[in-house]
Amino acid sequence: DTEVTQTPKHLVMGMTNKKSLKCEQHMGHRAMYWYKQKAKKPPELMFVYSYEKLSINESVPSRFSPECPNSSLLNLHLHALQPEDSALYLCASSQGDSWDTQYFGPGTRLTVL
Amino acid sequence: KQEVTQIPAALSVPEGENLVLNCSFTDSAIYNLQWFRQDPGKGLTSLLLIQSSQREQTSGRLNASLDKSSGRSTLYIAASQPGDSATYLCAGSGNTGKLIFGQGTTLQVKP
């Protein structure tokens, strides 16, 4: 089983809302990632968690707050977003470090009004 | 700083044709090279990963090669099918482990 699941599939929120994106994997992977992908562009790395600790933060604005409650779950908390934050948010996981094959979830399509 | 380029940006071929997608990278200190497929509005599906010590990997009709000295990787698709239509992304991993993606090649296979 190489499945990474993400919820919700779609999310529409206002600029004053607080929402969360969720990601789950049961492959025993110890590294998990958040990517942001704008239309017709490649994914851009936002955060990396390795063994449940934040190891990479690509200078992402503080309105995005990641959380890794345990080795299977990864959340992305959203607050006071801007319309330009509308994008497909992808979660991925890998066996150990970033050199291993990364498996991606289907993504959450976020629209900020 | 690692940069990854994919050529062509778009490709349209008739069904049954063999084709090659190209990926080039600027830093030869690459740890691995991964090829992904992405259908419109969907997540990425991992196709092949080539470790820096390897020269190629094969899976079914797909074959990916890696030449670190020239900074190039190619994805060969044999006997293309309409179901192969998608965007293909290559991504290199450097010493930080961070994946650097190319802009992708959008492939259309016509019946």
Side-chain angles (χ1 to χ4, degrees), chain B residues 3 12 17 23 28 38 54 60 71 94 96 102 109:
Chain B
E3 293 182 4
S12 181
E17 192 163 297
C23 174
S28 61
Q38 186 172 32
Q54 299 171 323
T96 64
V109 181

Side-chain angles (χ1 to χ4, degrees), chain B residues 43-104:
Chain B
L44 278 66
T45 300
S46 178
L47 298 174
L48 291 164
L49 178 142
I50 312 175
Q51 302 285 0
S52 61
S53 58
Q54 299 171 323
R55 292 192 63 84
E56 66 178 298
Q57 284 286 334
T58 298
S59 176
R61 293 183 294 108
L62 305 179
N63 175 275
S65 66
L66 175 64
D67 184 342
K68 290 178 61 178
S69 61
S70 66
R72 294 181 61 186
S73 177
T74 59
L75 179 66
Y76 174 83
I77 302 177
S80 59
Q81 303 171 357
D84 294 331
S85 298
T87 296
Y88 291 81
L89 294 155
C90 70
S93 176
N95 59 3
T96 64
K98 175 182 171 182
L99 277 180
I100 306 296
F101 284 87
Q103 294 294 313

Side-chain angles (χ1 to χ4, degrees), chain A residues 35 37 40-45 56 58 88 90 98-107 109, chain B residues 31-32 34 36 38 41-44 46 49 51 89 93-99 101-103:
Chain A
Y35 289 84
Q37 187 178 26
K40 300 191 184 301
K41 296 290 187 182
E44 295 178 346
L45 182 66
I56 296 179
E58 289 290 306
L88 181 67
L90 296 164
S98 305
W99 292 270
D100 297 319
T101 299
Q102 291 189 26
Y103 295 92
F104 282 75
R109 174 71 61 189
Chain B
Y31 277 61
N32 66 41
Q34 195 165 355
F36 295 90
Q38 186 172 32
K42 305 293 186 182
L44 278 66
S46 178
L49 178 142
Q51 302 285 0
L89 294 155
S93 176
N95 59 3
T96 64
K98 175 182 171 182
L99 277 180
F101 284 87
Q103 294 294 313

